[in-house]
Amino acid sequence: MRSFKIGNVLIPGNLILGPMAGVTDLPFRLLCKEQGADLVYTEMISAKGIYYNNKNTEKLWEIADEEHPAALQLFGSDPDLMAEMARKIDHRNFDILDINMGCPVPKVVNNGEGSALMKTPELAAKIIRKVSQASSKPLTVKFRKGFTEDTVNAVEFAKMAEQNGAAAIAVHGRTREQYYSGKADWDILAQVKEAVTIPVIASGDIFSAEDAIKCLEQTKCDGLMLARGVRGNPWLFAEIKQAIMQYDAGEEIQISKPQLSEVVEMIRRHGRMQVEYKGEIMGMREMRKHVAWYTTGYPHSAAIRREANFIETYEQLEKLCDKILADSKS
């Protein structure tokens, strides 16, 4: 497989699970790892949250032995605080530290964090430089094409990140203004790849094995970051791995998709892992959205989603799974 290195950390292949708030918790990361994710990212963690000992932060940075290599993602806009928190958590068992400079969510952007930092490259440079000096782990930075279509600066931003100590970068091919609408611009990713010598990870609109092959061909990036495309579909990692092997061997690309019975078994297993990790009440609340994602596109998915919204116990989840299978046979 197409391995590469981020600093001194070997990434055994080129498929990466991107950070998604409320999605890429420990159970979901483990499922993606089993399906072939070569590097996984935690949900983003606030530097201020660490500073103020926010009790929710503890769960966010828990990493299982089977997950490595794993990256922990920090966000914030104060260079000194970011560096101090990077130093404070340096002993934890993550392999790579990432700074989020791409999050488009208003409450993050309005604080001058996430993708807002693309408007202040000098401040972003200071954060990257101070954090890279404070941490013993290789540093990556995730950012976007630009803040608006009129201020596209991904290429300059990438060069700045490399000059200030980033060991790799992940670039989403949309502006903050676009959020997740419209199409991701893979041409800008190709330009970024040409402009720097550190590894570049492509992000945006990779929803199928065909998308992955096209993105690799077009951008020549070192890695592919999968995010929204794997919600309810951790199998996408295995499908892309299979497609890349066929492509590299010059064979026709033929992908095997999971059967409904496999999807239902994954829902049950994911549910059990959530209960074990977060307890039944919180675990089942978390599973509501996952059930909706897993069953999207299947018959009766709207009815399944409605029913999933009321799940409170693992037993109810089991009953819903049985019903999904029974309805598929009727």
Side-chain angles (χ1 to χ4, degrees):
M1 283 306 288
R2 305 175 179 205
S3 62
F4 67 104
K5 282 183 108 172
I6 294 178
N8 58 355
V9 178
L10 176 69
I11 313 302
N14 61 348
L15 301 185
I16 293 140
L17 172 64
M20 289 179 281
V23 181
T24 54
D25 57 13
L26 193 147
F28 188 66
R29 294 197 305 268
L30 284 173
L31 294 175
C32 290
K33 193 78 181 180
E34 284 175 16
Q35 291 298 325
D38 298 298
L39 170 64
V40 296
Y41 276 68
T42 66
E43 300 172 71
M44 63 180 193
I45 297 170
S46 160
K48 284 180 192 158
I50 300 171
Y51 180 75
Y52 290 114
N53 295 314
N54 183 309
K55 64 180 192 310
N56 299 329
T57 301
E58 200 59 43
K59 273 281 186 226
L60 294 177
W61 60 31
E62 207 172 297
I63 291 167
D65 292 342
E66 308 94 291
E67 290 187 69
H68 298 287
L72 183 144
Q73 191 186 62
L74 264 191
F75 75 99
S77 57
D78 179 328
D80 293 320
L81 181 70
M82 288 283 282
E84 194 187 326
M85 294 310 103
R87 205 174 288 112
K88 183 176 177 178
I89 63 172
D90 198 50
H91 66 285
R92 293 198 160 264
N93 69 332
F94 60 95
D95 306 284
I96 291 163
L97 183 61
D98 180 75
I99 304 175
N100 181 312
M101 296 191 172
C103 179
V105 175
K107 69 175 180 184
V108 173
V109 170
N110 294 342
N111 275 339
E113 301 165 337
S115 56
L117 287 161
M118 295 205 73
K119 296 193 290 185
T120 52
E122 285 173 11
L123 175 60
K126 203 170 174 187
I127 292 170
I128 295 167
R129 187 167 62 251
K130 290 204 166 194
V131 171
S132 72
Q133 288 165 355
S135 177
S136 68
K137 315 280 170 95
L139 182 68
T140 61
V141 183
K142 188 173 187 296
F143 56 94
R144 287 183 165 240
K145 175 182 174 178
F147 197 79
T148 66
E149 207 56 52
D150 296 331
T151 57
V152 170
N153 60 342
V155 172
E156 297 77 17
F157 208 84
K159 289 180 185 170
M160 172 277 290
E162 179 176 28
Q163 285 158 8
N164 284 279
I169 50 175
V171 190
H172 185 94
R174 285 184 177 82
T175 61
R176 188 274 165 166
E177 192 176 45
Q178 277 180 285
Y179 231 80
Y180 294 104
S181 66
K183 260 176 78 71
D185 180 358
W186 289 349
D187 285 337
I188 196 84
L189 306 184
Q191 290 169 38
V192 168
K193 175 64 190 154
E194 287 258 300
V196 295
T197 61
I198 53 175
V200 178
I201 298 161
S203 169
D205 288 357
I206 301 164
F207 293 101
S208 68
E210 293 75 19
D211 293 338
I213 299 288
K214 280 182 195 157
C215 186
L216 285 171
E217 279 181 334
Q218 191 175 329
T219 67
K220 305 291 186 283
C221 282
D222 303 272
L224 298 175
M225 184 170 273
L226 313 184
R228 290 176 303 141
V230 294
R231 294 188 307 196
N233 186 17
W235 299 274
L236 186 55
F237 288 102
E239 289 168 17
I240 294 173
K241 281 234 155 101
Q242 192 183 356
I244 289 174
M245 283 169 72
Q246 292 167 346
Y247 176 82
D248 286 347
E251 298 168 4
E252 187 189 344
I253 293 172
Q254 293 180 311
I255 302 303
S256 47
K257 297 272 185 189
Q259 301 293 311
L260 179 61
S261 57
E262 291 175 76
V263 173
V264 169
E265 187 45 47
M266 185 69 91
I267 292 172
R268 293 186 209 268
R269 188 153 165 251
H270 195 164
R272 287 194 297 271
M273 289 166 78
Q274 283 287 3
V275 171
E276 198 179 313
Y277 184 57
K278 294 183 179 171
E280 191 167 44
I281 293 170
M282 185 55 77
M284 288 304 98
R285 278 188 195 149
E286 289 285 325
M287 281 307 293
R288 292 171 184 176
K289 62 192 173 202
H290 287 289
V291 171
W293 289 326
Y294 278 118
T295 54
T296 297
Y298 284 99
H300 318 298
S301 62
I304 293 166
R305 192 163 58 244
R306 274 196 303 275
E307 206 165 321
N309 280 335
F310 297 101
I311 288 172
E312 288 180 349
T313 66
Y314 181 74
E315 191 183 348
Q316 288 173 323
L317 180 68
E318 282 278 15
K319 281 182 181 161
L320 180 58
C321 286
D322 292 341
K323 187 169 183 283
I324 293 168
L325 287 176
D327 288 350
S328 73
K329 288 168 187 156
S330 59

